[in-house]
C-alpha cells in the first residue's frame, strides 16, 4: 500500500493490519453528541416549561373594594360610534340640565399622560390599536372622578364599550338611568374624524385606527345598546341632522328630568 493510500486509510479510521481489528474512533463525535443532547434538553426545557405570566397592572385595581357613592347619583350612559358628536351634545346637556360630563376617553388620556402612572403605556397601546382598555382601569377612573366631583347627575360619555363593563359598573358603582344613543352612519363619522385629525393630535385620529374603532364598536359596543334596548332603557337620536337639530331631539329625553 502506498504511503498516500496508507495515510488516507488511517485518516478515515480503517485498520491497515492484515487481521483488521475494530477501528478506534476519535472521541470527538461523542463530545459532539453530548453537546447536541445538552442543547436539545435545554431547548425542550425553554420551549415547554410554563412561561412566566406578565404582570397585569389591572390586578392592582380591586373593583370590589371601591367605596359606595353616598349621594345616590343619576348616571346616563352616552354611546355612539367614534365621531358621532357625543361630546358636543353632552356640553349642551351640561349647560341646560345641570349634568356633569365625564368622558371615559378623556379620563384615560389624562391617566396615560399623568407622570408616574402605572397604566400609561398600556392605555396608549389600547387607544392606538382602537381596542377597549381593561374595564378595571376605566371603572376605577370614573368612580374616582364621580367621588371627587360630588355631583348627583353624570353623563358618562363613551362608556360602557362592552357588556361586561356595563354590568360591572352597575354592580360596583351605581345603576344607570338610561342609555343615550347617537346613531350616525360610518361614512359621516369617518369624514368628521379625518377632519378632526387635522388638528387634534390624537394618536387614534388616523384612517387605520378609525377603521379599527368602527369594528370594535360594531362587535363589542353595539351589543351593549341591544342589551339595554331589550330593557326599555335606550333613547336614540339621529345624528344626520345639523348640530342644533340633533340637540332638539336630544333635549326631549331630559325635559322630564328637570
Amino acid at each position: 500500500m502506498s504511503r498516500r493510500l496508507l495515510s488516507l486509510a488511517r485518516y478515515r479510521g480503517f485498520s491497515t493490519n492484515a487481521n483488521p481489528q475494530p477501528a478506534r474512533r476519535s472521541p470527538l463525535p461523542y463530545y459532539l453528541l453530548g453537546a447536541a443532547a445538552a442543547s436539545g434538553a435545554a431547548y425542550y426545557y425553554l420551549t415547554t416549561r410554563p412561561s412566566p405570566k406578565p404582570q397585569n397592572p389591572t390586578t392592582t385595581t380591586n373593583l370590589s373594594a371601591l367605596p359606595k357613592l353616598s349621594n345616590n347619583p343619576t348616571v346616563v350612559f352616552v354611546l355612539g360610534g367614534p365621531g358621532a358628536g357625543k361630546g358636543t351634545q353632552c356640553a349642551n346637556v351640561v349647560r341646560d340640565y345641570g349634568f356633569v360630563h365625564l368622558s371615559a376617553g378623556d379620563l384615560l388620556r389624562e391617566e396615560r399622560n399623568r407622570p408616574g402612572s402605572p397604566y400609561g403605556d398600556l392605555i396608549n397601546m389600547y387607544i392606538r390599536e382602537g381596542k377597549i382598555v381593561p374595564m378595571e382601569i376605566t371603572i376605577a377612573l370614573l368612580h374616582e372622578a364621580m367621588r371627587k366631583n360630588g355631583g348627583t347627575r353624570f353623563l358618562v360619555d363613551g362608556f360602557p364599550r362592552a357588556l361586561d363593563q356595563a354590568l360591572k359598573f352597575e354592580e360596583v358603582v351605581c345603576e344607570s338611568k338610561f342609555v343615550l344613543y347617537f346613531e350616525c352612519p360610518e361614512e359621516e363619522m369617518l369624514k368628521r374624524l379625518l377632519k378632526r385629525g387635522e388638528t387634534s393630535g390624537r394618536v387614534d385620529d388616523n384612517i387605520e385606527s378609525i377603521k379599527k374603532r368602527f369594528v370594535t364598536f360594531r362587535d363589542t359596543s353595539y351589543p351593549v345598546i341591544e342589551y339595554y334596548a331589550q330593557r326599555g332603557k335606550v333613547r336614540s337620536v339621529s345624528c344626520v341632522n345639523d348640530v342644533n337639530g340633533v340637540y332638539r331631539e336630544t333635549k326631549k329625553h331630559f325635559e322630564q328630568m328637570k
Side-chain angles (χ1 to χ4, degrees):
M1 183 179 294
S2 69
R3 182 177 301 176
R4 182 176 179 182
L5 291 176
L6 180 62
S7 298
L8 180 62
R10 286 175 177 170
Y11 173 76
R12 293 187 175 179
F14 295 109
S15 172
T16 57
N17 296 329
N19 298 314
Q21 300 294 325
R24 294 184 60 190
R25 294 184 177 275
S26 168
L28 182 59
Y30 295 100
Y31 286 118
L32 291 176
L33 288 174
S39 299
Y43 175 81
Y44 177 83
Y45 172 74
L46 291 173
T47 56
T48 60
R49 66 170 180 161
S51 299
K53 294 182 178 180
Q55 184 179 3
N56 183 354
T58 65
T59 57
T60 61
T61 303
N62 183 7
L63 293 180
S64 62
L66 294 177
K68 290 293 183 181
L69 298 173
S70 59
N71 55 356
N72 192 27
T74 296
V75 168
V76 174
F77 291 147
V78 183
L79 295 178
K86 301 183 295 294
T88 299
Q89 298 304 324
C90 283
N92 292 332
V93 174
V94 168
R95 180 193 64 214
D96 295 339
Y97 297 96
F99 275 77
V100 175
H101 177 213
L102 295 179
S103 166
D106 288 347
L107 290 173
L108 288 169
R109 282 183 283 272
E110 289 172 7
E111 178 65 19
R112 175 191 62 186
N113 297 327
R114 182 175 64 85
S117 169
Y119 311 122
D121 290 340
L122 180 72
I123 292 171
N124 193 55
M125 178 191 72
Y126 276 92
I127 291 177
R128 185 175 59 249
E129 293 297 319
K131 297 180 180 179
I132 297 176
V133 174
M135 66 177 176
E136 292 86 350
I137 297 176
T138 309
I139 292 176
L141 291 175
L142 287 169
H143 178 277
E144 180 65 8
M146 294 170 66
R147 186 191 67 80
K148 284 185 176 181
N149 182 272
T152 59
R153 289 182 161 192
F154 294 94
L155 295 173
V156 180
D157 172 7
F159 180 93
R161 294 187 63 194
L163 188 54
D164 60 343
Q165 292 186 347
L167 299 178
K168 180 59 70 172
F169 181 94
E170 294 196 335
E171 174 190 340
V172 302
V173 182
C174 67
E175 186 176 349
S176 63
K177 183 73 173 177
F178 62 84
V179 174
L180 182 63
Y181 171 44
F182 290 104
E183 296 182 271
C184 191
E186 285 190 4
E187 295 80 6
E188 177 64 23
M189 291 190 290
L190 178 61
K191 182 174 67 175
R192 295 178 184 181
L193 290 171
L194 291 177
K195 181 66 176 177
R196 186 179 72 181
E198 295 175 0
T199 56
S200 70
R202 286 176 46 167
V203 297
D204 55 347
D205 276 348
N206 59 79
I207 188 66
E208 292 81 8
S209 293
I210 290 169
K211 289 182 177 179
K212 291 176 183 177
R213 292 159 68 192
F214 286 162
V215 172
T216 298
F217 180 79
R218 289 194 302 266
D219 293 348
T220 62
S221 298
Y222 195 75
V224 176
I225 299 165
E226 294 178 319
Y227 172 83
Y228 283 106
Q230 293 171 0
R231 288 153 179 78
K233 295 181 66 174
V234 172
R235 311 289 185 264
S236 297
V237 177
S238 174
C239 295
V240 296
N241 207 339
D242 60 28
V243 173
N244 293 329
V246 172
Y247 186 55
R248 281 194 298 271
E249 295 301 313
T250 300
K251 66 192 301 185
K252 293 177 182 179
H253 302 302
F254 291 91
E255 284 296 321
Q256 60 185 356
M257 300 178 66
K258 274 190 171 181

